[in-house]
Amino acid sequence: MNWLVALAVVTVAALTWVGMVPRIRIDDPEAPDLRALITPKSTALLAGVAAACSSVLWLTPPSHCWLWVPYLALGLPLVLVDLRTTFLPQRLHWWAAGAMGIGLIPLAVADWRAAVGAMIGAAAAFLFFYLAWRFSRTLGFGDVRLALLIGAVSGQAGVSPWTTSLLAGTVLGALHGIGHAVWARSHTDRPRHFPFGPALWLGPLVAAVVTATAG
């Protein structure tokens, strides 16, 4: 069954990339043309990454797939856009959030504690990143919205995976930032800002691996 679910993740992620992303319009004069991102190479790359990330489905309880599937299938195209453009499109984010919200219903039927953990985790992560955005301005608000998805998918497994997820995403983001700063310094025409979303999105996957191996 996990193979079929993983195949569904890859299929939905690829269809979202080629079908939905080019139709997104971002209300910002500096926004890129997202249609230029869609190439055979980028689609194949996304499908490969989706397949690799879907291995997390073998490390988590079956009931948790109700949130993991939309997190992977819709979240991956979202953060790939961020990686390429530093924009996290609201429309795609709310599609992912809506799908995960629907997934809460069967999750609650199968494991109400996990559903409660997901909702608390989403709210807590959003508040944490909102405060970081509000007082430090080192994050974009798209990263704050992304925290809802991160908190939900990691919170369903408990406090420890939730904490590990946020810590891992932050550390990966810091490492990315250091690498980007070094790269930008040697290429003066490159932008100094970098996307933080992809690192944050990877946090729950790292937490799932840590939880599975520790257990």
Side-chain angles (χ1 to χ4, degrees):
M1 182 62 69
N2 280 344
W3 289 106
L4 293 176
V5 177
L7 179 60
V9 167
V10 175
T11 301
V12 172
L15 290 176
T16 300
W17 182 250
V18 302
M20 183 183 295
V21 169
R23 292 175 171 79
I24 295 175
R25 299 294 178 267
I26 302 175
D27 188 18
D28 189 312
E30 298 182 0
D33 181 3
L34 299 185
R35 292 173 297 180
L37 301 179
I38 314 304
T39 64
K41 182 179 179 180
S42 69
T43 304
L45 175 63
L46 176 133
V49 173
C53 291
S54 294
S55 61
V56 74
L57 299 173
W58 279 264
L59 304 177
T60 57
S63 60
H64 291 191
C65 289
W66 291 109
L67 298 190
W68 271 110
V69 168
Y71 183 81
L72 296 171
L74 299 175
L76 178 58
L78 174 65
V79 297
L80 185 55
V81 170
D82 188 29
L83 183 65
R84 298 288 302 275
T85 69
T86 70
F87 282 85
L88 284 162
Q90 288 191 49
R91 181 181 175 187
L92 187 51
H93 164 81
W94 291 121
W95 272 100
M100 291 179 70
I102 293 172
L104 277 173
I105 299 172
L107 174 62
V109 172
D111 185 348
W112 68 267
R113 290 182 178 84
V116 171
M119 290 186 288
I120 294 175
F126 179 85
L127 178 61
F128 178 81
F129 279 94
Y130 175 81
L131 291 174
W133 170 80
R134 179 68 177 81
F135 292 107
S136 69
R137 299 293 182 177
T138 58
L139 296 173
F141 198 77
D143 298 318
V144 180
R145 289 194 301 266
L146 182 61
L148 282 171
L149 312 185
I150 294 167
V153 78
S154 59
Q156 66 180 333
V159 175
S160 181
W162 182 89
T163 305
T164 303
S165 173
L166 267 61
L167 178 61
T170 303
V171 170
L172 289 173
L175 293 175
H176 182 196
I178 293 171
H180 181 86
V182 173
W183 172 72
R185 183 176 299 174
S186 60
H187 298 77
T188 55
D189 59 327
R190 303 298 186 183
R192 297 292 174 179
H193 55 280
F194 69 98
F196 200 46
L200 295 176
W201 182 84
L202 285 171
L205 280 82
V206 175
V209 173
V210 170
T211 300
T213 54

